[in-house]
Amino acid sequence: MIAKTSVGRSFKGCCQYNMEKVELGKGQVLLSQGVRDYDLKGMVADFTRQAMLNPELSRSVWHTAVSFDPQDEARLLQEPQLIEQVATDYLKGMGLDQSQYVVIQHYDTAHTHFHIIANRVANDGHTVSDSHNFSRSEKLLRAMEQQHRLTLMKEQGYRLGIEHLPQADRYRLEMRNDVRQSLELSTTSNELRANLAQRGIELIVNRDKAGQARGVSFERVSQDENGEALRVAFKGSKLHQNLGLGQIQQELGLNAHKRALELSQQRELAKAQELTISPQNEEKQLKRGRGLSM
């Protein structure tokens, strides 16, 4: 995801631009708090009234546009609620959830994006800081990409770097990258299939005449340069020497062992915390018992 943030002095221009999209059917209000999200004049008046709680703050308008990576479009169509969840998490992460805001999604571009208009004067009158907003925003976006399994920013840069390659090579490198990312998140073959499916990839086990597994292939339906559907398939070993059947099974086993170890450590930590708390509870119970005897 990419976010562009600015702070300004007037709510009118920012609200008008976004509400006009809604009125023209090119956008919709996703979320709002503390403002009349159905009326431009009312919205501006609500924002302006609260800004007067802190008249010394000259730049009270917070505006952020958040854009999703084109590779996430198919998933966003299936899970439209994810857009609202990302917006909610962003508001909270940037400290805007305790103030007035409106979130408006636009439909006038090929990629999904939404705009946040918020008041830097919070509901209790304190100022929402815009200090280091770029670095804070970037850190938050990277965390949300991981949390919601959205396309990572490093993958976006990776794709831009291979656009000049021939189509067949580009498909191969893109699929290799997607398979690796899916494998990192998986501990079983079923988990791997599910993670690959989220990226539009099908895992196929290649078997010999006796039914023995001899290798794996990966397939997805892409589009050629003319927009026509195109079936793309590669053997795992052709994607990378570490993506053959045996290597994949080995990495799944290592991932499962690592996850089991992490769960064991978490359980041990929970037990240690219980042992720490228990003597304190026993002491409290003894004190209560002495109090009753009196």
Side-chain angles (χ1 to χ4, degrees):
M1 293 180 290
I2 299 174
K4 296 181 179 179
T5 296
S6 62
V7 293
R9 300 176 184 274
S10 172
F11 284 102
K12 183 176 180 180
C14 192
C15 292
Q16 182 172 354
Y17 168 76
N18 283 280
M19 289 300 288
E20 283 179 351
K21 298 285 185 181
V22 177
E23 293 171 0
L24 292 172
K26 297 180 178 180
Q28 68 166 333
V29 175
L30 292 179
L31 302 165
S32 68
Q33 179 170 277
V35 296
R36 285 168 279 182
D37 60 14
Y38 51 86
D39 176 69
L40 173 60
K41 290 184 178 179
M43 181 186 295
V44 173
D46 294 336
F47 275 128
T48 304
R49 186 180 303 110
Q50 181 154 308
M52 293 306 296
L53 294 175
N54 189 351
E56 295 182 0
L57 181 64
S58 60
R59 301 169 70 84
S60 56
V61 183
W62 180 297
H63 176 220
T64 294
V66 176
S67 301
F68 291 85
D69 186 86
Q71 189 164 306
D72 294 320
E73 288 300 313
R75 183 180 171 201
L76 293 174
L77 287 173
Q78 295 178 346
E79 304 175 41
Q81 70 278 6
L82 182 57
I83 304 172
E84 291 189 19
Q85 186 60 59
V86 168
T88 300
D89 291 348
Y90 190 88
L91 286 162
K92 185 175 181 179
M94 297 302 289
L96 299 166
D97 58 323
Q98 299 302 311
S99 186
Q100 296 170 310
Y101 60 77
V102 61
V103 180
I104 298 176
Q105 180 182 355
H106 289 184
Y107 302 137
D108 57 349
T109 60
H111 63 282
T112 298
H113 70 285
F114 61 81
H115 291 249
I116 294 174
I117 307 167
N119 203 331
R120 290 188 59 217
V121 179
N123 300 334
D124 61 2
H126 83 268
T127 300
V128 177
S129 174
D130 67 341
S131 177
H132 305 292
N133 67 66
F134 176 79
S135 59
R136 288 164 51 212
S137 176
E138 288 297 296
K139 184 177 180 180
L140 177 61
L141 290 175
R142 302 294 81 78
M144 290 196 298
E145 287 167 353
Q146 292 279 1
Q147 177 185 354
H148 298 297
R149 295 189 177 183
L150 294 164
T151 301
L152 302 179
M153 186 64 185
K154 64 180 180 181
E155 292 181 42
Q156 298 175 32
Y158 172 82
R159 284 198 309 280
L160 291 174
I162 65 173
E163 283 185 351
H164 67 284
L165 296 176
Q167 189 179 65
D169 292 330
R170 188 166 68 250
Y171 285 146
R172 177 175 175 270
L173 291 174
E174 287 176 345
M175 186 175 288
R176 184 179 72 182
N177 194 42
D178 287 341
V179 171
R180 279 176 165 173
Q181 292 287 338
S182 299
L183 186 55
E184 288 177 4
L185 299 170
S186 306
T187 61
T188 67
S189 59
N190 286 337
E191 282 188 5
L192 178 57
R193 290 179 185 276
N195 288 325
L196 286 169
Q198 289 188 0
R199 297 170 182 265
I201 299 174
E202 180 183 1
L203 184 153
I204 298 172
V205 178
N206 303 318
R207 301 181 183 277
D208 59 19
K209 293 181 179 180
Q212 296 295 317
R214 295 302 182 188
V216 291
S217 297
F218 300 93
E219 295 186 4
R220 72 159 27 130
V221 176
S222 296
Q223 290 183 335
D224 62 18
E225 295 176 351
N226 298 318
E228 298 293 329
L230 177 68
R231 176 178 166 272
V232 179
F234 295 97
K235 290 183 178 180
S237 57
K238 295 297 182 181
L239 289 179
H240 193 273
Q241 61 183 6
N242 292 332
L243 292 176
L245 176 61
Q247 290 83 359
I248 289 175
Q249 291 173 333
Q250 183 178 7
E251 183 160 349
L252 288 173
L254 291 173
N255 291 347
H257 177 73
K258 181 180 178 181
R259 184 177 296 181
L261 183 61
E262 290 174 349
L263 291 173
S264 177
Q265 291 173 341
Q266 291 174 3
R267 286 194 292 267
E268 291 297 324
L269 179 60
K271 288 181 180 179
Q273 291 175 339
E274 289 178 2
L275 291 174
T276 302
I277 295 171
S278 294
Q280 296 175 353
N281 290 338
E282 290 176 3
E283 184 178 352
K284 289 180 181 179
Q285 291 174 358
L286 288 172
K287 289 180 178 179
R288 291 195 190 101
R290 288 194 294 269
L292 287 172
S293 65
M294 292 173 64

